[in-house]
Amino acid sequence: GQQVMQIPQYQHVQEGEDFTTYCNSSTTLSNIQWYKQRPGGHPVFLIQLVKSGEVKKQKRLTFQFGEAKKNSSLHITATQTTDVGTYFCAGPSGSQGNLIFGKGTKLSVKP
Amino acid sequence: DAGVIQSPRHEVTEMGQEVTLRCKPISGHDYLFWYRQTMMRGLELLIYFNNNVPIDDSGMPEDRFSAKMPNASFSTLKIQPSEPRDSAVYFCASSPRRQSGEAFFGQGTRLTVV
């Protein structure tokens, strides 16, 4: 079946360092979404990418959708302690109406 | 809108007992999803509804799990009988449309079965 894989599983950085998480799908996606889950919280929608090669920015966060629409990345510049949490990518499941979530990348930031 | 509302927030129950989790989706959203989150397996889709009709329940682990959506503003996930391996955080999410719509998650129910 369709799979969405994320790497790395964990990332520990010093505050101020950059961070990147990568997402790969076994199938071409019509769109990809990114979510952030703070410790003890629930996943919160960050952004959706739709076009091949699309790049979107939200302050220090840069999201990219691959040309083949099978991979994506999230890059955080100069991490802050408020960036701590787990970042998930998710893609729609073929013709179904549900989202397939990656396992997430857990980011910890040392002040 | 208050967002997706789940209750209870925490549930501790003894093995063998029935557990019912509740969810109120965002008004106007056509899709409702039940997810289970554990450290080992991440976010797993259990079942989802479109316009109150169950569409895909292939993620429901066993017959002990059942879900209903009697109307557009309410859904339940029932586990009977509960087992310790059911301990997890259960999230309900709703979405305004398929494929392109983002999912809005509730705060989750942390279930502990002892």
Side-chain angles (χ1 to χ4, degrees):
Chain A
Q2 182 180 354
Q3 291 186 354
V4 175
M5 292 149 287
Q6 264 185 274
I7 56 169
Q9 191 175 358
Y10 301 96
Q11 186 81 56
H12 309 282
V13 300
Q14 191 78 34
E15 189 172 22
E17 291 181 341
D18 291 357
F19 159 77
T20 304
T21 174
Y22 300 91
C23 180
N24 286 286
S25 169
S26 58
T27 60
T28 300
L29 300 169
S30 58
N31 70 76
I32 193 149
Q33 299 174 19
W34 285 91
Y35 293 76
K36 176 183 179 182
Q37 184 178 20
R38 286 199 160 93
H42 58 282
V44 175
F45 174 81
L46 292 177
I47 205 163
Q48 177 178 274
L49 305 171
V50 179
K51 298 177 184 175
S52 168
E54 188 170 13
V55 177
K56 286 189 177 180
K57 292 192 176 185
Q58 288 180 351
K59 298 183 181 178
R60 295 177 295 104
L61 278 61
T62 302
F63 304 84
Q64 207 160 9
F65 200 9
E67 294 291 339
K69 301 183 77 173
K70 293 182 71 174
N71 57 70
S72 181
S73 64
L74 158 59
H75 179 83
I76 302 179
T77 303
T79 54
Q80 300 175 358
T81 54
T82 52
D83 296 325
V84 163
T86 301
Y87 293 85
F88 295 94
C89 63
S93 170
S95 60
Q96 301 295 317
N98 56 296
L99 285 173
I100 304 293
F101 279 82
K103 290 267 194 294
T105 296
K106 187 172 183 179
L107 172 65
S108 62
V109 179
K110 188 175 181 181
Chain B
D1 202 314
V4 176
I5 299 173
Q6 289 186 249
S7 64
R9 290 292 308 278
H10 303 273
E11 176 80 34
V12 181
T13 191
E14 290 186 346
M15 182 174 63
Q17 296 297 307
E18 175 181 303
V19 175
T20 299
L21 311 181
R22 296 172 176 79
C23 175
K24 181 182 187 315
I26 293 173
S27 176
H29 283 193
D30 294 336
Y31 287 83
L32 183 140
F33 308 88
W34 282 100
Y35 288 91
R36 178 172 68 175
Q37 186 176 41
T38 60
M39 287 292 292
M40 290 296 294
R41 301 172 71 92
L43 265 171
E44 299 175 278
L45 178 67
L46 300 176
I47 185 172
Y48 80 94
F49 296 82
N50 178 21
N51 292 323
N52 314 340
V53 176
I55 302 300
D56 183 358
D57 65 353
S58 59
M60 297 285 260
E62 297 170 33
D63 291 345
R64 297 184 297 106
F65 286 69
S66 63
K68 292 181 180 179
M69 192 165 185
N71 56 63
S73 58
F74 184 65
S75 177
T76 59
L77 177 67
K78 186 179 293 187
I79 308 172
Q80 182 186 19
S82 58
E83 296 182 4
R85 60 192 167 124
D86 301 331
S87 298
V89 180
Y90 291 81
F91 287 106
C92 174
S94 68
S95 178
R97 57 193 182 278
R98 66 181 277 176
Q99 295 279 340
S100 57
E102 67 263 32
F104 295 79
F105 283 77
Q107 305 243 11
T109 295
R110 181 173 293 277
L111 174 64
T112 303
V113 184
V114 298

